[in-house]
Amino acid sequence: MRKKIFSLGGILITVLSLSAQNNNMKPEYTEYYEPVPRKVTPGANAGEAPSDAVVLFDGKSLDQWISVSDTTKPAGWKVANGIVTVDKKMGDIRTKQRFNDFQLHIEFLIPDYITGSGQARGNSGVFLAANEGGAEYELQVLDNYENKTYVNGQAGSIYKQKPPLVNANKKPGEWQYYDVVWTAPRFNADGMLITPARITVLFNGVLVQNNFELKGNTPYIGLPVYKAHGPSPIKLQSHGDPSEPISYRNIWVRPL
Ligand code: MG
């Protein structure tokens, strides 16, 4: 009990001396000028790539992407009219470049003539990191404007781990977008997890994942686990469901 009183007294003295210190301070004591944040020119319009972004798809070519099933081959999805459309015959595609932490912007369109239900309705996915052996993490793409499925498999979910905070889906036929802040997991030299992955997602400008700490990868079957990896490609999913394919445009990333 005496110890408790003593420690409370200690806190009180600290608070009093801190406030006395603050009384003796000038405004400039808490202002500093270096390092100066480097200049970045923002895009002219919302969603446009800022000056320091790596443009992954500019509407013209898929040069930054390759096929996942055969990484010696080009991505092979159809590019027309400034957009790229999933080709279910070609399978998943991934970036040539590998990333750790980043800010990502990506826009997608689920066609207004979409059919199917549940997970078989406009299913694709943005994998923030996708490595061989299943070390991959999916931010779900799906039509959930009016489509019931398991909530941790909805659009804006971290697949089978975390439902979106709210349903911010637009109608099929309208362009939608994700803005993502991704912090990659870190592993030590023995492959043990040091810090888990974290993700923040805005879906059509609405917060749906708020600095969520991932429990591991995002498998279809089974529980999440971490498997060690370094810098990783970003992957887009060609889902096997028969519903009409979806399209993407204006994809850029800012490595952090
Ligand atoms: Mg998916």
Side-chain angles (χ1 to χ4, degrees), residues 119 123-127 138-142 159 237 239:
Q119 291 287 309
N123 197 328
S124 181
V126 180
F127 288 75
E138 182 180 11
L139 168 60
Q140 177 69 304
V141 173
L142 194 71
Y159 187 66
Q237 186 183 41
H239 191 268

Side-chain angles (χ1 to χ4, degrees), residues 55-62 82 249-251:
V55 175
L56 294 175
F57 178 63
D58 63 358
K60 294 182 197 106
S61 94
L62 272 181
R249 73 176 183 193
N250 192 22
I251 311 172

Side-chain angles (χ1 to χ4, degrees), residues 54-234:
V54 176
V55 175
L56 294 175
F57 178 63
D58 63 358
K60 294 182 197 106
S61 94
L62 272 181
D63 284 355
Q64 298 290 321
W65 300 78
I66 49 178
S67 158
V68 167
S69 61
D70 183 347
T71 53
T72 63
K73 289 196 176 140
W77 290 5
K78 200 180 104 192
V79 177
N81 306 319
I83 68 176
V84 56
T85 300
V86 179
D87 183 339
K88 298 215 176 214
K89 292 188 299 292
M90 302 302 295
D92 299 347
I93 66 170
R94 72 154 172 88
T95 57
K96 289 178 184 168
Q97 216 173 316
R98 291 169 181 268
F99 305 95
N100 267 322
D101 306 339
F102 55 78
Q103 172 188 352
L104 172 73
H105 176 87
I106 185 163
E107 303 179 15
F108 63 92
L109 177 72
I110 295 170
D112 56 4
Y113 51 87
I114 192 74
T115 57
S117 63
Q119 291 287 309
R121 188 177 171 87
N123 197 328
S124 181
V126 180
F127 288 75
L128 293 318
N131 298 276
E132 295 77 14
E136 55 178 31
Y137 317 89
E138 182 180 11
L139 168 60
Q140 177 69 304
V141 173
L142 194 71
D143 171 35
N144 287 113
Y145 185 69
E146 281 173 349
N147 173 35
K148 196 172 175 183
T149 186
Y150 42 95
V151 295
N152 56 350
Q154 276 194 17
S157 69
I158 304 308
Y159 187 66
K160 294 222 171 160
Q161 283 197 38
K162 182 72 165 62
L165 295 167
V166 291
N167 180 337
N169 284 257
K170 289 186 184 179
K171 276 196 199 83
E174 292 183 30
W175 280 96
Q176 313 194 60
Y177 63 93
Y178 286 138
D179 283 303
V180 179
V181 180
W182 172 253
T183 305
R186 299 295 200 273
F187 303 87
N188 70 12
D190 297 328
M192 284 178 65
L193 182 70
I194 303 170
T195 52
R198 290 189 163 273
I199 191 167
T200 294
V201 181
L202 300 170
F203 182 12
N204 298 323
V206 179
L207 185 70
V208 294
Q209 298 291 344
N210 185 9
N211 198 27
F212 174 66
E213 186 180 291
L214 278 79
K215 299 175 186 82
N217 62 354
T218 56
Y220 175 44
I221 299 170
L223 299 172
V225 290
Y226 272 109
K227 301 171 183 184
H229 62 81
S232 310
I234 295 169

